[in-house]
């Protein structure tokens, strides 16, 4: 089985970036303890001459042992609640979110 590399990017609503960062930061400890979690790091965008800027200024950089582990993570109540309350709900802190998954397997 191949590892799954996930980038979960969040665009905060105006004036809500710090609050969103704190809400997401609270998800780290339990997520890191999940079976199959190899890396789960919350990061913020920085200015750097070698980088372009994005409206998605907060992101999780995740590595999972396999697709089943990542799927189980998405089914956890805390993760489901976050997306329901902060992404889907019009009163949430997130203006938009993008979650992408990758593998290191080559093409045959």
């Amino acid at each position: 089985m191949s590892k799954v590399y996930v980038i979960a990017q969040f665009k905060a609503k105006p004036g809500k970036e710090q609050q969103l960062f704190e809400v997401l930061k609270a998800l780290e400890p339990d997520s890191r303890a999940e079976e199959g979690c190899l890396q789960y790091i919350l990061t913020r965008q920085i200015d750097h001459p070698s980088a372009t800027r994005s409206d998605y200024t907060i992101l999780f950089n995740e590595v999972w042992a396999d697709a089943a582990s990542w799927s189980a993570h998405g089914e956890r109540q805390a993760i489901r609640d976050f997306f329901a309350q902060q992404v889907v709900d019009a009163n949430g802190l997130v203006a938009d979110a993008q979650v992408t998954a990758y593998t290191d397997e080559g093409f045959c």
Side-chain angles (χ1 to χ4, degrees):
M1 287 230 162
S2 175
K3 293 178 187 171
V4 175
Y5 301 84
V6 178
I7 303 295
Q9 301 179 87
F10 301 93
K11 177 181 176 182
K13 289 184 178 173
K16 301 295 184 182
E17 186 173 332
Q18 183 60 38
Q19 190 177 355
L20 175 59
F21 187 82
E22 296 303 324
V23 168
L24 288 167
K25 190 77 172 159
L27 297 174
E28 268 186 321
D30 287 342
S31 296
R32 285 183 177 171
E34 288 179 61
E35 186 174 334
C37 180
L38 304 176
Q39 175 176 296
Y40 198 83
I41 301 172
L42 184 64
T43 62
R44 296 178 102 155
Q45 184 171 236
I46 61 169
D47 288 320
H48 190 278
S50 297
T52 56
R53 295 264 327 149
S54 167
D55 290 338
Y56 297 81
T57 59
I58 301 172
L59 72 83
F60 272 113
N61 187 318
E62 308 172 27
V63 181
W64 296 91
D66 50 44
S69 298
W70 182 46
S71 293
H73 168 71
E75 291 301 317
R76 279 190 46 237
Q77 193 62 50
I79 301 303
R80 291 173 55 195
D81 287 349
F82 168 78
F83 276 93
Q85 295 166 5
Q86 303 301 339
V87 179
V88 176
D89 190 316
N91 295 316
L93 302 171
V94 177
D96 194 29
Q98 295 181 0
V99 179
T100 52
Y102 304 87
T103 182
D104 55 1
E105 289 182 359
F107 293 102
C108 298

